Structures are given as C-alpha cells and as structure tokens.
Amino acid sequence: MASTAKQRVVILGGGFGGVFTAKHLQRRAGRSVHVELISQNNFFVFQPLLPEVAGGNVHPLDAVCPLRQFLPRTRIRVADIRKVDLSTRIIHVTAGRDRAIAEIPYDHLVVALGQVVDLRRTPGLSERALVMKDVADAFKIRNQILGCLEEADEATDPRRKCRLLTFIVIGGGFTGVETVGEVQDLIRKTLRHYPRINPDDVRIILIQHGARILPELPGHLADYATSALRRRGVEILLKTGVKTVSAAGVETDGGGVLDAETIIAAIGNAASPLVESMQVPLQKGRIVVDRFLRVDGLENVWALGDNALIPLRNGKHGEEDYAPPLAQFAFREAKALAANIQRSIAGQQPVPFEYKSLGTMASLGGRRGVADILGVRVAGFPAWLAWKILYLALLPGAANRVRYAIDGLLNLMFARGIAQVRPTGAASHPI
C-alpha cells in the first residue's frame, strides 16, 4: 500500500535531465510530493546553444533560464554537494558565505549531474585549452578570438602573428563541429574590421582522432559536413591524435607541431568526482540503470541524462542499444522518470523507458547544417533550419523561445540584407 506521507524527491543537478524531471513531477504530482533540486547555480544552461553564444549569433540570455522562474513549485537549493550517503538516505551540502553544512533527507533520489570535462589524459591540455560547458566558457572563447584578432592586427613579428591567427578545435563530435563552425563564422564576419589581417593568413583547424567527423551521423552526411567546412577554409585533420600540448603548440601523434594561441577542447567527458564517490555501479564512467531508470541494486535511486547508461531494449549488444547523450533523449527520459517516480510512490509498477529518436542533426555555422530526421537525410540550409526549430522546441521557458526565435529571424534577415543590425552576445571586446 502506498504511504500517505508526503514523499521527498531530491534531484541532484540543474542540467537538462534534472530540471525537466522536476518540471514533469510538478505537473504530475502537484503539491502531493515535495520536490527539491540541488544545483551549484540558480540558473539552467542550455548547452547546445553555447557555440552560437560564442559566435555572437544568439544572445546569452537565450541559453540561460532562472531555475526559480522555470520551477516555481520546486524547492531550489544552491549548494555544493559534499557527500551522498545512500545507506542513511542523507545528502550533505554546503551553502552560503559561511559554507554551513546542511543535511537533506530523501525518499527518492534522482542523479542528474551530467559529466565533467577531464583533459588530464593529454599532457598540457588542461592548462592550455578552453572548453565549452557553460556561458562563461562561451564568453571566454569569444573574447579570446576577438583578442587575438586585435593583437594580430597590430603585430609586426610574423611568427607571433601566425600564432595569433591559428585557432585549433580538438574533437570532431557535435560540440567540436558546431564550435569550429561558429568560430569560422565569427572570424569571417569580423575580419572586415581588421584591415591589416590578410584572411589567407587565418588558420582554423579541427583535429579528429577518428576516421571521420560526426560519427553519430550517417557517413554521407559526415562527408557533406567535412566538405562544407573545408570549403569555408577549415582544415580538418582526421585520424590524428593529440600527444601533448605545450607553450610550443599542439604536438600530434604523427610528430607534427601546430603553434596556436587559441586551443579549444571538445573532448574529455568523464564522470563527475561526486558520482565516482557514490556507491553506484559504473560502466564507461556512467551509472548503470535498468530500463525503468532505476540504479541497479539500489532502492528509490534513479539516474538519467549524460551520467546514466540507459538501455533502450533487453539483450543489449552495442552502443546503439543505449540512449545517446542528446537533449531530446534527456527530455524524454525526464518525462518517463517523473511518471515512474509517481508510480512507485503510488505502489504501482514502473514502465520501461522507450523512445525512438526524431533525428540527429548538427549546425555547421554559416546557416548550414546536416540532419537525419526520421530516416530522411538533409543537408545545407534546410538542415540548419530544422536544427534551429528543434532547439526552439526544447528550450525551457516561453521568454527564451521568443528571444531565440527573434534572434534567429534577425540574423537570417541580416544575412539576406533585409535588416541592418543583428543581435550579438555581450563580450569584453565589442566589434
């Protein structure tokens, strides 16, 4: 029989999985369940838009949503999680200026901490590289690029100028490809303000360890993306690993050295130290869960999103049998998890998570993209437009959707010569 006491559901993490689990629980359970979300920040960052923020094609507010505004009936606690005691069902956190320790009990625990960037396996990379995990990172990348152009415009030393005008992105997955596309677009649109820089002197390099970029997409779409980026001047080095990174530049596993002032790493996802410290089963750095999103061997502990290894069917064999770390999957996982928590509280059996991808897509910058939508393969402007529409649908908050739609429309009008001004994200180096 289900308990009549109000159950406490505590969600760890303010990312996509955690935020939408709380949102769906609000809608389903109302005030009959106490939902508390613990996050290091009081806002949610929509990470797929960060490359566009770095490129100045959307306003940073488009990618950020205040948690308390989006989740008005959820208890939001901004704190650092110090320890999760699964045996006593107590979470230890520190918060506030005095870093006071608080203990938070739970009846159901949702782990939605995502993954962190760990670049330690490549010597020197963590010291030199910029990453793309939050809005501050997007600003750093944008300001780094514009700062290099400013200095290169005045530089008289040819070697120094060459170093300033070389931009390297490591990693040919979605984040790396979308980042290099936005970097190229930003530099292309900005160079007219720097008359002493020859566009032919700019080098934008994408390094991919695998045989092709975008391994998540069908081969011919990855080939289209490769050709489109190369036509725009991006050098793509395939089957190339990074051996070391130093003040002298990036040394590849083939012995070549690329000297660059700007290095962006779009690799190195790993389990967070907190997840590793918890007594939960891990496989490939992700929490092992069953098809109901329950952590194996633990009662009332659930996980979803990037930090969970979620089977899509029984009798698993390959990577395709697990949910990929994509926003559309996290959204569906959150909805299924909220329903299963409510079922569990009511004493009912949970239902397995089932979801077939609507498609996979990537932006290449310059209003070009690649997409596989329900088996239909699209490239160019239609794919980019589909990419924009998908993220418009997934963005949390009506205000964010309106701003993102207006930014996209104005940028498109500007590109077609209809509008005279386009919106850009704030930066320390205004153009």
Side-chain angles (χ1 to χ4, degrees), residues 157-206:
D157 180 359
R159 289 190 61 185
R160 176 62 180 164
K161 192 163 190 170
C162 178
R163 177 185 175 89
L164 288 166
L165 294 179
T166 301
F167 305 87
I168 296 176
V169 177
I170 303 171
F174 287 115
T175 300
V177 167
E178 291 177 355
T179 298
V180 81
E182 291 295 334
V183 167
Q184 189 278 336
D185 207 31
L186 172 64
I187 293 173
R188 177 187 61 82
K189 293 181 293 188
T190 307
L191 277 182
R192 61 189 177 91
H193 300 287
Y194 300 99
R196 287 175 290 277
I197 296 178
N198 184 342
D200 293 336
D201 292 337
V202 177
R203 294 186 71 189
I204 303 172
I205 304 169
L206 177 64

Side-chain angles (χ1 to χ4, degrees), residues 46-75:
F46 193 72
Q47 290 186 339
L49 295 187
L50 292 181
E52 285 196 290
V53 174
N57 284 320
V58 301
H59 195 281
L61 286 178
D62 297 347
V64 176
C65 182
L67 289 177
R68 288 181 173 85
Q69 175 183 316
F70 188 60
L71 301 170
R73 296 194 301 276
T74 296
R75 165 73 159 95

Side-chain angles (χ1 to χ4, degrees), residues 187-255:
I187 293 173
R188 177 187 61 82
K189 293 181 293 188
T190 307
L191 277 182
R192 61 189 177 91
H193 300 287
Y194 300 99
R196 287 175 290 277
I197 296 178
N198 184 342
D200 293 336
D201 292 337
V202 177
R203 294 186 71 189
I204 303 172
I205 304 169
L206 177 64
I207 300 177
Q208 167 68 341
H209 189 270
R212 65 183 178 93
I213 64 173
L214 298 174
E216 302 88 349
L217 285 172
H220 89 279
L221 288 180
D223 292 341
Y224 171 88
T226 300
S227 298
L229 289 172
R230 282 175 170 162
R231 283 196 302 270
R232 289 164 54 196
V234 177
E235 301 175 42
I236 300 178
L237 306 181
L238 300 174
K239 298 181 181 179
T240 302
V242 175
K243 184 178 179 180
T244 60
V245 179
S246 65
V250 174
E251 181 181 353
T252 66
D253 53 10

Side-chain angles (χ1 to χ4, degrees), residues 268-345:
N269 286 338
S272 72
L274 179 62
V275 167
E276 290 183 334
S277 72
M278 297 168 60
Q279 298 300 311
V280 294
L282 294 176
Q283 183 177 331
K284 298 180 180 179
R286 298 163 75 182
I287 302 172
V288 179
V289 302
D290 60 20
R291 294 195 60 204
F292 308 105
L293 306 178
R294 298 176 302 196
V295 177
D296 280 0
L298 295 172
E299 184 181 4
N300 294 349
V301 180
W302 315 77
L304 78 163
D306 293 1
N307 69 185
L309 189 65
I310 302 171
L312 295 176
R313 54 185 171 182
N314 299 325
K316 307 166 293 293
H317 298 288
E319 289 290 332
E320 69 278 3
D321 295 318
Y322 294 92
L326 300 176
Q328 59 170 301
F329 273 85
F331 181 83
R332 292 291 181 169
E333 291 159 14
K335 188 173 184 179
L337 178 53
N340 279 344
I341 290 175
Q342 188 181 35
R343 284 176 173 271
S344 178
I345 292 172

Side-chain angles (χ1 to χ4, degrees), residues 113-188:
L113 293 165
Q115 292 190 309
V116 298
V117 175
D118 184 1
L119 304 177
R120 293 174 296 177
R121 284 176 287 185
T122 302
L125 189 58
S126 58
E127 290 79 17
R128 285 285 323 271
L130 300 169
V131 296
M132 185 75 81
K133 292 295 284 186
D134 58 35
V135 174
D137 294 330
F139 279 150
K140 287 179 184 177
I141 290 172
R142 178 173 171 79
N143 289 335
Q144 169 75 11
I145 292 169
L146 296 179
C148 285
L149 296 180
E150 290 285 350
E151 188 175 346
D153 194 51
E154 301 291 339
T156 55
D157 180 359
R159 289 190 61 185
R160 176 62 180 164
K161 192 163 190 170
C162 178
R163 177 185 175 89
L164 288 166
L165 294 179
T166 301
F167 305 87
I168 296 176
V169 177
I170 303 171
F174 287 115
T175 300
V177 167
E178 291 177 355
T179 298
V180 81
E182 291 295 334
V183 167
Q184 189 278 336
D185 207 31
L186 172 64
I187 293 173
R188 177 187 61 82

